[in-house]
Amino acid sequence: MRLLVTGGAGFIGANFVHQTVAERSDVQVTVLDALTYAGNRQSLDPVADRIEFVHGDVADFALVDRLVAGSDAVVHFAAESHNDNSLADPTPFVQTNVMGTFSLLQAVRAHDVRYHHISTDEVYGDLELDDPERFTESTPYNPSSPYSATKASSDLLVRAWARSFGVRATLSNCSNNYGPYQHVEKFIPRQITNLIDGVRPRLYGSGKNVRDWIHVDDHNAAVWTILEKGSLGQTYLIGADGEVDNRTVVGTLLELFGRDADDFDFVTDRPGHDLRYAIDSTRLRTELGWTPQYKDFRSGLEATVRWYRDNESWWRAQKESAEKAYAASESVIG
Ligand code: NAD
Ligand code: TDX
């Protein structure tokens, strides 16, 4: 199988490429990545001689058409992915997440190529802390941020191309991922690298916001399950029953670093900050037989801390600019 992976130099995409190369010798991987601030060629170093890398933009119709024509399937990870950045400047989010997806859809339509679309649980908006319902495939879309609005838009394009043009597409909406190679702007790597540097972790608002954490390898195993066994036109929610509030995540990290439990700062909240995400992944589990392998969040976090300690050369160059961007909008409130 010739597989085109967009965004393969990013966090989830790079882990997907590593997993694919390690487990599927019959798959020939081509990565298309624009190497934005979030993309890192080094993330693909361990598999560099086993894949083809193309430096380019998913919104470049001519390039995408050529690459898709030479592929049997596409997995589309490439996106602008950070909520805080989308609040500062939504422009690249509309361009990459909407126009980039449009460009891929036109190409897979023209060449009748199988397409899997990577999306997020954020398209469903948020839940109250005590809401007994979790997100399912039929929850109405209700995005809050420019990031989630552009991801929702891209999902709707995929659904329309599947229905109206018969594009052989599946979609997945996953919850918050953690693991190696995640950019230091994101919550868990930001706090881990702060702690490595002896800086206090920073919690937005009350710290009561809940995210439904899943290890990146479990997400990627689910993507392969859907590629191989999913029904065309169908959406699958991916989640590992990993709800934890942000305050607890910081508490666990402080413990792992041997620091005092109150050794953190509350800072200005994110505007429009979603309160809680929670995924019901029954369809994926019962219809396709997927189950997560990482069941203990604390030991998953411990391994992730070890990875950041052991791979400082991977993240160090980005730490200062990420913190500078936060300093512009963030102040300590408690
Ligand atoms: P990331 O920001 O770490 O990586 C994104 C990658 O896409 C980078 O390598 C970047 O260079 C590349 N890219 C950006 N714009 C591009 C363009 N115009 N053309 C080509 N490449 C471009 O993101 P991530 O966290 O790995 O997320 C990957 C996908 O998974 C995204 O679609 C995101 O919406 C989705 N997702 C992420 C999470 C999460 O917790 N991180 C959860 C659910 C879904
Ligand atoms: O310093 C911080 N302090 C803090 O309290 C940062 C960076 C974040 N937070 C909070 C905000 C969220 O409640 O932590 C939580 C997680 O924040 P992010 O890592 O920015 O993730 P989130 O906004 O939940 O979105 C992520 O999951 C869904 C990914 O970035 C998206 O790409 C994905 O779609």
Side-chain angles (χ1 to χ4, degrees), residues 101-159:
T101 299
F102 171 56
S103 140
L104 281 157
L105 284 171
Q106 288 290 73
V108 293
R109 176 187 171 199
H111 300 286
D112 188 25
V113 168
R114 174 82 170 85
Y115 174 84
H116 181 73
H117 186 70
I118 303 290
S119 192
T120 169
D121 58 359
E122 298 193 16
V123 300
Y124 300 113
D126 61 354
L127 299 163
E128 293 300 327
L129 294 179
D130 60 356
D131 193 330
E133 299 299 319
R134 299 186 292 173
F135 298 139
T136 69
E137 286 79 2
S138 53
T139 303
Y141 274 35
N142 186 27
S144 313
S145 73
Y147 162 68
S148 49
T150 57
K151 291 299 292 186
S153 307
S154 69
D155 292 10
L156 297 181
L157 291 179
V158 179
R159 289 181 182 199

Side-chain angles (χ1 to χ4, degrees), residues 152-322:
S153 307
S154 69
D155 292 10
L156 297 181
L157 291 179
V158 179
R159 289 181 182 199
W161 262 242
R163 176 161 169 167
S164 296
F165 301 128
V167 163
R168 294 184 291 127
T170 43
L171 302 91
S172 56
N173 296 75
C174 187
S175 58
N176 284 62
N177 286 217
Y178 73 97
Y181 299 102
Q182 187 169 28
H183 195 280
V184 290
E185 70 190 353
K186 302 291 191 332
F187 179 51
I188 288 177
R190 185 185 185 200
Q191 315 313 333
I192 292 175
T193 53
N194 274 359
L195 285 162
I196 290 173
D197 283 348
V199 172
R200 288 157 74 93
R202 309 208 120 195
L203 270 173
Y204 291 173
S206 66
K208 291 189 177 140
N209 305 65
V210 170
R211 295 295 182 264
D212 190 352
W213 293 100
I214 180 172
H215 193 278
V216 64
D217 288 343
D218 279 333
H219 179 181
N220 285 328
V223 170
W224 265 110
T225 301
I226 297 165
L227 256 182
E228 292 183 322
K229 299 198 247 168
S231 300
L232 296 181
Q234 194 64 269
T235 291
Y236 296 89
L237 262 54
I238 306 174
D241 301 332
E243 284 188 69
V244 190
D245 67 58
N246 294 340
R247 171 74 190 80
T248 303
V249 174
V250 163
T252 307
L253 288 174
L254 286 166
E255 224 180 286
L256 292 173
F257 276 85
R259 299 265 290 264
D260 289 346
D262 58 357
D263 206 1
F264 66 90
D265 292 321
F266 285 112
V267 296
T268 338
D269 206 357
R270 171 186 285 172
H273 194 176
D274 281 339
L275 185 55
R276 172 175 164 239
Y277 306 135
I279 291 265
D280 177 346
S281 57
T282 303
R283 172 182 284 172
L284 178 64
R285 293 173 194 239
T286 55
E287 290 180 18
L288 305 188
W290 171 86
T291 49
Q293 301 303 309
Y294 290 80
K295 294 192 173 105
D296 179 12
F297 182 57
R298 187 192 166 88
S299 61
L301 263 189
E302 212 168 352
T304 306
V305 167
R306 244 188 336 270
W307 189 87
Y308 281 89
R309 281 194 193 280
D310 292 346
N311 290 277
E312 186 169 337
S313 62
W314 180 86
W315 57 265
R316 176 56 70 192
Q318 286 153 347
K319 181 67 178 163
E320 198 182 323
S321 60

